[in-house]
Amino acid sequence: MFATLSDRLATTFKNIRGKGRLTDADIDATAREIRIALLEADVALPVVREFVARVKERARGEEVSQALNPAQQIIKIVNDELITILGGETRRLRYAKTGPTVIMLAGLQGAGKTTLAAKLALWLKEQGKAPLLVAADLQRPNAVNQLQVNGERVNVPVFAPQPGNGVGDPVAVAREAVEEAKRKLHDVVIVDTAGRLGIDEELMKQAADIKAAVNPDEVLFVVDAMIGQDAVNTAQAFLDGVGYDGVVLTKLDGDARGGAALSIVQITGKPVMFASNGEKMTDFDLFHPDRMAGRILD
Ligand code: GDP
């Protein structure tokens, strides 16, 4: 991800490298190049506009620094602004003060939710937590089984519906799971919910009902970064229909252009909290805006 954007920005900066001083025309030309680079990377237009306006404004107003040449100053500005659009600080999980922390996952089918649930469980285990995975995706026949397989891979128990225990009713399963977590002293409950291929009202309502029933400490919207501009539309639809606290970007290892990652925070106002970048259970970490910006400008 971001290979094209990285290359284009590198070329842009090369064009101003040898200059002792940047004229307004140089700044305008550079801003234009940055604009094209971002648009080609599939970054949403309003985000691009604001980004470029800020870079221009700062480049014109910047104090002449002794330590940095003009090209370095622009690179620093772009780096700062990338960190800003990616959300600034790393947003960490909020744990419940008492009782188990409940984390609910929502998103479209195929976004990588089930995989992510297990990755998150493994990551939490490494933080010293005792997570419980909950199979509240009862829509897809194979979803419960898939979560069980993933749970086994990371050695985390899975709470799944059983006869007399919420079969066919994801809200009851989620509610029961929280009770089970209390009984068995799990301190984090990760609720995997149903996804559909497209956004639909029933899906939204079910997710909203689960949310109302278990009152999660964190609702995470899981989205495939490879789906480009659609990611932003889906993110907005889930924000309106279900509501969430943070975003998880999956498939960042893909070769898509990365615009989703660069637009979603600004468009939704919600931070990206985690990033998933591969099929291995360990291909997962907190999302660090500064590191991501660094990688783009590497
Ligand atoms: P769900 O329908 O949202 O539960 O999605 P799944 O967890 O079943 O994932 C859908 C597909 O994407 C599976 O084949 C996963 O192996 C794959 N996948 C999930 N996360 C990643 C990732 O970060 N990178 C890559 N390359 N593939 C992923």
Side-chain angles (χ1 to χ4, degrees):
M1 198 146 290
F2 297 123
T4 326
L5 179 61
S6 283
D7 289 351
R8 272 211 81 121
L9 288 176
T11 310
T12 304
F13 299 140
K14 204 151 70 194
N15 292 339
I16 49 171
R17 188 144 294 152
K19 303 205 179 214
R21 179 176 108 51
L22 293 186
T23 62
D24 279 357
D26 289 331
I27 291 173
D28 285 348
T30 305
R32 254 196 314 277
E33 290 284 320
I34 294 170
R35 178 187 162 88
I36 294 167
L38 292 171
L39 287 174
E40 277 186 357
D42 253 355
V43 181
L45 185 57
V47 177
V48 174
R49 280 207 186 111
E50 217 181 296
F51 187 96
V52 172
R54 277 202 305 262
V55 169
K56 243 161 110 165
E57 190 187 304
R58 283 187 57 189
R60 290 216 168 117
E62 199 80 350
E63 295 278 313
V64 181
S65 154
Q66 300 296 328
L68 299 177
N69 65 39
Q72 287 169 332
Q73 285 185 25
I74 297 250
I75 294 172
K76 182 179 178 307
I77 293 169
V78 171
N79 183 60
D80 290 351
E81 294 299 331
L82 280 174
I83 295 172
T84 301
I85 66 165
L86 289 167
E89 299 276 302
T90 303
R91 158 75 152 79
R92 287 163 201 281
L93 269 182
R94 282 181 308 228
Y95 295 103
K97 293 210 176 61
T98 54
T101 299
V102 178
I103 302 172
M104 173 179 150
L105 308 178
L108 294 182
Q109 186 177 318
K113 257 191 299 31
T114 309
T115 311
L116 184 274
K119 287 180 173 182
L120 178 60
L122 177 62
W123 183 86
L124 285 163
K125 243 174 48 162
E126 282 164 0
Q127 315 280 313
K129 302 287 179 192
L132 175 67
L133 285 162
V134 183
D137 176 355
L138 310 182
Q139 221 66 38
R140 219 158 30 100
N142 199 32
V144 174
N145 179 46
Q146 199 188 332
L147 188 65
Q148 279 164 333
V149 169
N150 279 330
E152 271 169 33
R153 281 173 76 188
V154 296
N155 210 4
V156 170
V158 175
F159 184 88
Q162 289 146 17
N165 193 4
V167 172
D169 181 356
V171 177
V173 171
R175 205 183 278 130
E176 266 302 306
V178 175
E179 292 312 311
E180 170 91 349
K182 286 181 191 158
R183 282 194 295 272
K184 300 230 168 122
L185 302 180
H186 291 284
D187 48 13
V188 186
V189 181
I190 303 169
V191 184
D192 186 21
T193 64
R196 300 285 160 81
L197 288 174
I199 301 154
D200 70 43
E201 297 225 340
E202 205 190 321
L203 161 72
M204 292 294 177
K205 183 169 181 323
Q206 188 181 94
D209 286 348
I210 295 175
K211 186 178 165 201
V214 297
N215 191 22
D217 298 282
E218 301 274 19
V219 179
L220 302 182
F221 169 66
V222 182
V223 64
D224 178 345
M226 306 253 281
I227 65 174
Q229 295 273 350
D230 262 358
V232 172
N233 301 336
T234 313
Q236 190 61 51
F238 271 81
L239 193 60
D240 299 338
V242 185
Y244 49 81
D245 306 290
V247 177
V248 182
L249 291 172
T250 65
K251 310 190 195 179
L252 280 176
D253 52 313
D255 58 3
R257 290 170 289 182
L262 288 169
S263 311
I264 222 157
V265 175
Q266 295 301 302
I267 301 275
T268 63
K270 299 293 173 188
V272 177
M273 289 173 61
F274 293 101
S276 175
N277 60 349
E279 305 245 14
K280 288 204 300 289
M281 285 294 138
T282 46
D283 291 333
F284 172 80
D285 203 355
L286 279 170
F287 182 78
H288 297 289
D290 52 346
R291 288 187 209 166
M292 181 64 91
R295 228 168 294 148
I296 294 169
L297 294 179
D298 201 8

